């Protein structure tokens, strides 16, 4: 799951466009899909160069970068459901009157108050971001923390793990390597997060597992595969159909 760090370390402009450019390729920050440069890609009977094809990929797979970001957990965006709904309507270009009618809000002045509150939140975010950027230049003792995976269902103190601590946990619970069986299942939340992250990273990202196939895969890590499966879902690493017939890695 290392690409989570790519998402969080991307610049504001890279996040807005939804992809990261390197010398040889473009990588989608939303799902990790990589498009190689120098290749022409077909889409709906037309051919596109790599960067244009990456933008097409984002539009066809994620609808837009805005839609993806606003769908992230409240712990990652800091937005209430009401604020998210307002932002969606603003993004759609609807007028204050249209929004008033759609949300059944008392008056258009209430919508304007919400707009002002969101602008205030933007100003605060810019100030805080500037301070953190300046801090990065001075704080030579700041540890490198475990990045938060984009599909996390809870973001709390369990993510207070440095990369050194992560390495120690991996060595303790995967003594034969991260593609081999666990020595035991960790008792502490932080340790579980690191272990589950490694297991999720070994699953096929573009594959739909049936229950039997997933169970067999997880059993190679730990005898109680149902426990691992439950925690992978609980921590937001994988998702499933309600009837349990299909499972997949969350992006």
């Amino acid at each position: 799951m290392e690409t989570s760090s790519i998402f969080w370390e991307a610049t504001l402009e890279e996040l807005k466009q939804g992809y990261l450019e390197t010398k040889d390729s473009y990588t989608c920050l939303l799902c990790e899909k990589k498009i190689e440069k120098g290749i022409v890609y077909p889409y709906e009977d037309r051919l596109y160069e790599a960067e244009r094809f990456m933008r097409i990929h984002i539009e066809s797979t994620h609808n837009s970068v805005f839609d993806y970001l606003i769908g992230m957990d409240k712990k990652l965006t800091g937005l209430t459901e009401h604020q998210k709904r307002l932002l969606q309507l603003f993004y759609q270009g609807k007028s204050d009157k249209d929004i008033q009618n759609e949300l059944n809000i008392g008056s258009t002045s209430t919508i304007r108050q919400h707009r002002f509150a969101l602008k205030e939140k933007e100003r605060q975010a810019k100030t805080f971001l500037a301070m953190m950027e300046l801090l990065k230049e001075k704080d030579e003792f700041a540890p490198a923390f475990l990045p938060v995976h984009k599909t996390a269902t809870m973001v709390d103190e369990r993510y207070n793990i440095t990369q050194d601590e992560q390495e120690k946990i991996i060595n303790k619970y995967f003594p034969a390597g991260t593609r081999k069986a666990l020595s035991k299942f960790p008792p502490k939340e932080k340790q579980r997060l690191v272990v589950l992250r490694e297991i999720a990273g070994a699953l096929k990202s573009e594959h739909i597992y049936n229950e039997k196939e997933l169970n067999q895969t997880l059993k190679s890590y730990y005898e109680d595969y149902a426990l691992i499966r439950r925690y992978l879902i609980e921590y937001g690493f994988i998702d499933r159909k309600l009837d349990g017939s299909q499972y997949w890695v969350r992006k």
Side-chain angles (χ1 to χ4, degrees), residues 36-212:
E36 292 185 26
K37 292 181 178 179
I39 297 177
V40 177
Y41 295 87
Y43 181 77
E44 294 186 349
D45 299 324
R46 297 188 66 179
L47 298 175
Y48 297 91
E49 52 83 26
E51 186 171 16
R52 178 67 181 115
F53 186 69
M54 173 56 75
R55 293 198 294 270
I56 289 172
H57 159 74
I58 290 173
E59 292 167 6
S60 61
T61 306
H62 308 291
N63 196 28
S64 71
V65 176
F66 180 90
D67 287 307
Y68 181 89
L69 295 177
I70 207 165
M72 294 175 72
D73 190 86
K74 177 183 176 181
K75 288 281 190 178
L76 302 179
T77 64
L79 297 169
T80 66
E81 290 303 314
H82 183 60
Q83 288 172 325
K84 284 185 178 183
R85 183 60 182 144
L86 283 167
L87 283 171
Q88 286 173 324
L89 295 171
F90 294 150
Y91 186 74
Q92 292 166 13
K94 295 195 174 183
S95 68
D96 290 356
K97 185 62 177 176
D98 290 337
I99 296 172
Q100 176 199 353
N101 293 332
E102 184 159 343
L103 298 183
N104 195 25
I105 291 177
S107 67
T108 55
S109 64
T110 304
I111 305 299
R112 286 195 293 274
Q113 289 171 6
H114 283 301
R115 285 185 183 274
F116 178 81
L118 288 168
K119 289 297 292 184
E120 185 67 16
K121 193 175 183 71
E122 179 191 16
R123 287 189 286 269
Q124 292 169 350
K126 282 183 177 179
T127 304
F128 181 72
L129 182 59
M131 288 190 293
M132 291 303 293
E133 287 294 317
L134 291 168
L135 175 61
K136 247 191 276 188
E137 298 172 6
K138 296 288 186 179
D139 191 3
E140 60 182 289
F141 299 107
F145 288 100
L146 181 73
V148 179
H149 59 284
K150 302 189 296 293
T151 56
T153 54
M154 293 174 284
V155 183
D156 49 31
E157 66 278 356
R158 78 188 70 183
Y159 283 91
N160 182 17
I161 306 173
T162 66
Q163 291 183 357
D164 287 341
E165 291 173 322
Q166 178 187 18
E167 186 176 343
K168 290 177 181 177
I169 292 170
I170 290 173
N171 290 336
K172 178 178 180 180
Y173 290 98
F174 289 103
T178 55
R179 295 301 182 263
K180 301 294 183 178
L182 288 165
S183 57
K184 62 178 180 178
F185 191 66
K188 296 180 180 180
E189 293 284 347
K190 288 183 179 182
Q191 297 168 334
R192 289 175 183 173
L193 174 62
V194 172
V195 165
L196 293 168
R197 177 186 172 101
E198 291 300 318
I199 294 175
L203 297 176
K204 302 173 187 176
S205 60
E206 302 294 336
H207 184 67
I208 302 296
Y209 291 85
N210 60 44
E211 186 172 24
K212 181 179 180 181

